[in-house]
Amino acid sequence: MDRHAYLILAHKNFGQLRKLIELLDDPRNDIFVHVDAKAKNFRQESLDGTTRHSRLIVLPQRFKVNWGGVSIMRSELALLKKATSESEYAYYHLLSGMDMPIKTQDEIHAFFNEHKGYEFINLWEFKKSTRSRFRYFTIFPEGEGKFRTRIINHIFKGLQMAVGFRINRNIDFRFGSQWFSITDSLARYVVEKENWLEKVFRHTSTCDEIFLPTLVAGTPFSSRLYVPAAVKNQKEVNMANMRFIDWTRGESVRHPWVFRAGDMTLLESVPHLWARKFDETVDNNIINMIYNKLKH
């Protein structure tokens, strides 16, 4: 029986997180959770009773995670390190605490049994502005989500452009969705490259969408991508990572659409395995609808 590891990045809405974990609870899964250290209201006992079949491991080391920060990459690496140290899993699925499965665990496992060996990473073509994330030294790599530090970062990048200064000159960077499902061999390769990743990305911005596609490029793993071609526009829905994310209706370019109860028919119609994102403070009904449909 192939076992899977779910890696969850959580930062708020812990009632919603409970329902997500309960839907992932299955004898074929183990669940690893990283909770943002800034979430002062989180209590680990709030997750008691969420699993009967899966092992649930909440990482004791908690990073302060900032939007666009290198801390996101470090949190993902911490999850991969912990999971690979615990067992050998057929697949490692990275989810947000604001994601939900939209297929049963039987359907999810059947899909990966049928497509064993593929890597599920959604690649995007670069936009002109994206390259500044890694070509120029970022003074405040955790500051892209804050007005003052973002302005300072952009001013300093402008000065570097003016004098022709660049970092990471000899690296073939790639771009894609943060969310992935990868095999054990790729998960262990990523963990082995932790020092290289830290060296390359510690003074970049918004590297969570760049570090894994870059690491895979030019390796044998790239020939195992389920959808090898990069899409021109990230709003284009495809099957590359099996996550249904609606960027066409998001409130801003930074955030996808938050699904509502009226989207249930749409979510039932798509072939993807998971969807994002959901927010219990925006519409808890859609979360309950999916929970009630999929819960054993």
Side-chain angles (χ1 to χ4, degrees):
M1 177 179 70
D2 284 343
R3 295 182 55 77
H4 291 195
Y6 278 93
L7 318 175
I8 301 176
L9 293 172
H11 68 289
K12 65 177 184 177
N13 294 7
F14 298 114
Q16 176 178 338
L17 177 63
R18 278 189 63 92
K19 292 172 184 172
L20 169 61
I21 292 172
E22 288 183 30
L23 291 180
L24 303 178
D25 182 31
D26 186 280
R28 297 164 290 187
N29 299 334
D30 286 332
I31 303 166
F32 300 83
V33 181
H34 175 274
V35 179
D36 190 339
K38 300 198 306 296
K40 302 301 183 184
N41 63 332
F42 174 72
R43 299 292 179 267
Q44 187 161 331
E45 56 269 23
S46 68
L47 301 180
D48 288 350
T50 51
T51 57
R52 293 181 299 148
H53 308 290
S54 301
R55 284 194 304 158
L56 174 63
I57 299 174
V58 179
L59 270 58
Q61 180 189 22
R62 294 170 57 187
F63 293 93
K64 289 184 177 180
V65 179
N66 297 295
W67 186 91
V70 184
S71 51
I72 302 177
M73 180 186 78
R74 291 169 180 152
S75 301
E76 293 180 26
L77 287 171
L79 286 165
L80 283 168
K81 285 166 63 178
K82 181 60 176 174
T84 53
S85 73
E86 289 290 326
S87 187
E88 180 177 322
Y89 298 96
Y91 276 94
Y92 299 73
H93 309 290
L94 180 68
L95 300 179
S96 161
M98 301 180 78
D99 297 352
M100 294 286 281
I102 52 175
K103 297 289 189 293
T104 66
Q105 287 303 310
D106 284 344
E107 290 173 305
I108 292 171
H109 279 266
F111 176 86
F112 284 100
N113 286 337
E114 185 179 346
H115 300 90
K116 194 173 295 186
Y118 283 104
E119 309 294 348
F120 294 83
I121 302 170
N122 189 3
L123 301 179
W124 302 328
E125 290 189 3
F126 276 115
K127 295 177 287 189
K128 183 177 180 181
S129 61
T130 309
R131 298 184 184 277
S132 67
R133 298 185 187 184
F134 51 79
R135 290 300 187 197
Y136 304 102
F137 187 96
T138 302
I139 297 179
F140 298 108
E142 297 297 313
E144 281 300 292
K146 302 168 186 174
F147 178 77
R148 182 177 298 179
T149 47
R150 184 172 70 251
I151 292 299
I152 295 172
N153 283 340
H154 288 193
I155 291 173
F156 191 61
K157 286 181 182 181
L159 293 173
Q160 293 173 75
M161 293 177 195
V163 299
F165 177 82
R166 285 171 51 181
I167 63 174
N168 297 326
R169 288 179 176 269
N170 299 317
I171 298 173
D172 180 18
F173 286 95
R174 302 298 171 90
F175 182 39
S177 172
Q178 174 186 356
W179 314 105
F180 58 75
S181 293
I182 59 175
T183 62
D184 184 73
S185 53
L186 179 49
R188 294 180 187 277
Y189 178 73
V190 174
V191 170
E192 289 170 3
K193 291 293 187 178
E194 180 180 17
N195 290 340
W196 183 86
L197 291 168
E198 183 68 27
K199 178 181 177 181
V200 170
F201 289 103
R202 63 188 172 190
H203 282 291
T204 62
S205 64
T206 327
C207 69
D208 53 295
E209 296 173 331
I210 297 173
F211 82 89
L212 182 60
T214 298
L215 197 57
V216 167
T219 72
F221 297 109
S222 62
S223 66
R224 291 161 38 177
L225 291 173
Y226 185 59
V227 177
V231 298
K232 292 184 178 180
N233 189 327
Q234 69 186 54
K235 292 183 178 181
E236 180 182 330
V237 176
N238 65 75
M239 305 289 287
N241 64 3
M242 297 307 294
R243 286 137 175 93
F244 181 61
I245 306 173
D246 187 350
W247 287 98
T248 65
R249 294 182 286 170
E251 288 85 352
S252 76
V253 295
R254 291 184 174 187
H255 304 290
W257 174 250
V258 177
F259 292 111
R260 274 78 162 173
D263 294 311
M264 187 65 183
T265 301
L266 171 63
L267 293 170
E268 290 175 327
S269 72
V270 298
H272 303 77
L273 305 177
W274 306 277
R276 78 179 312 270
K277 66 181 184 177
F278 302 85
D279 189 332
E280 64 186 9
T281 67
V282 173
D283 191 333
N284 199 37
N285 290 331
I286 184 63
I287 296 170
N288 287 331
M289 290 165 72
I290 293 171
Y291 177 86
N292 291 332
K293 179 182 178 182
L294 297 180
K295 182 64 177 167
H296 299 305

